[in-house]
Amino acid sequence: MPSKIITFILLILCSSIHAKEYQSTDDFLNQVFTGSPPKAKVLWLKKDLQKKVSQILKHRPGFLRTRYWQSSEQTVWIINEIGKTKPITIAVVIKDKKIDLLKVLSFRESRGWEVKHDFFTQQFKQNSLNSDLRLTHPIDGISGATLSVRALTKVAQLALFFNSQIKEPPIKPN
Amino acid sequence: MKKNWFWRFLYKLHRYTGLFSALILIMLAVTGIALNHTEDLELDSQMVQSPTLLDWYNIKPSHKLKSFSTKDHWLTKVDQQLYFDHTLLSKNIKDLLGTVATNDFIVVALKDSLLLLSLQGELIEQTTFESIQNIGLGFQQNIVIKSNNSHFISQDGLISWDSYPKNNLVTWSNASAAPQTLSQNINHQFRSSILPIERVILDIHSGRFFGYFGVIIVDISGVFLIILALSGCAVWLKHKFRGLKRHK
């Protein structure tokens, strides 16, 4: 019996090895908005939006509102999505209805952490959403990280969809 | 004569090792196939409910419940799970520090984040907030957070935070004991959510389910499998060569 308890403890320890925050939300916002992030706004998921979000996530959304930061040039969305069992925190920067940057801020799963690397996230750059709510350019997967890849792809789709639901930012005067 | 004795021994060895290891091999094959399809069969997401099996694994109900009440509802933490009354809200929380309710929503303070819930317990949003120490209600029933020994108030539903003077009155959230029926129900739910079926099948496959004795039995059946393979090949080769000789 002690061996079973030790196995459990080892499993819990192993699962927490890769749990890591790569960058805090505040740091990321300061970086994107060069030190002066705008005040956060919120987008409420009313019933019609919830349906579309469920279609993208392939499950019911675990939230009823999401916040975003908008300037005249870009919009930042920070969204959590579960890969296999734990949420991955992903930030998406959108410019001109296209993804300018996608970054994994926190990864808490025990497997699939390879998705945090730039070689993978660069595929999302300049991607946009088609009428079927799918990305216009396909994303190549990573073997052994299928669920994390799926989570990142869904968040990219979701951020682009959310972006299409908010008011355009005011044009900056020259 | 000597040669006949050897082959008779090999036949018997093959037959009896086959008989002895048959049950274990079937068990290994069945559990192996199941483990190969863990995700398809959802063995990693389905939990063992049987009290006998949970007792076998020494998984006992947790008595370390931490509860806070607000607006006729209870928020309870057990291990890393958070319950809204009898309903599981989250499986992955660090610490429950308090909860308060306004006329529109309920806010739950965890160690490094806040959960905004509807009055029916639906999760509206989870936001990060570093080093939370406590949560309470301040001026005009607005949410106040104590963090790093400073106080912060939100007057727009947790979207933004302003500094709040320490000497201003705050009604802080305090832990209290949940009703017994609720505690029992949460304990039962918690106990039934720990052990995945995959773990049990994996332990049966390796023999660990039956302790050290089980591992030895599986090891012996592994050796038997090698004997079976070698003796089977030897017997097959013998027949093959005998057939060739007869042909000549």
Side-chain angles (χ1 to χ4, degrees), chain A residues 1 4-5 7-8 11 25 39-42 44 60 62-67 84 86-87 108 147, chain B residues 39 44 56-58 92 116 122-125 127-128 156-160 194-195 199 203 208-209:
Chain A
M1 200 53 64
K4 279 169 199 158
I5 295 164
T7 314
F8 263 114
L11 272 174
T25 303
K39 197 183 165 189
K41 296 177 180 177
V42 290
W44 284 88
R60 278 187 64 198
F63 52 90
L64 292 177
R65 80 175 193 191
T66 185
R67 62 183 66 198
K84 188 175 184 189
K86 292 182 178 176
R108 303 167 187 88
L147 296 176
Chain B
E39 278 178 23
D44 51 348
W56 180 257
Y57 272 82
N58 208 17
N92 193 26
L116 183 67
E122 280 177 300
L123 180 65
I124 297 172
E125 191 188 22
T127 63
T128 51
D156 55 4
L158 309 193
I159 295 169
S160 64
I194 295 175
L195 185 66
R199 181 78 251 161
D203 286 343
R208 277 192 204 96
F209 184 82

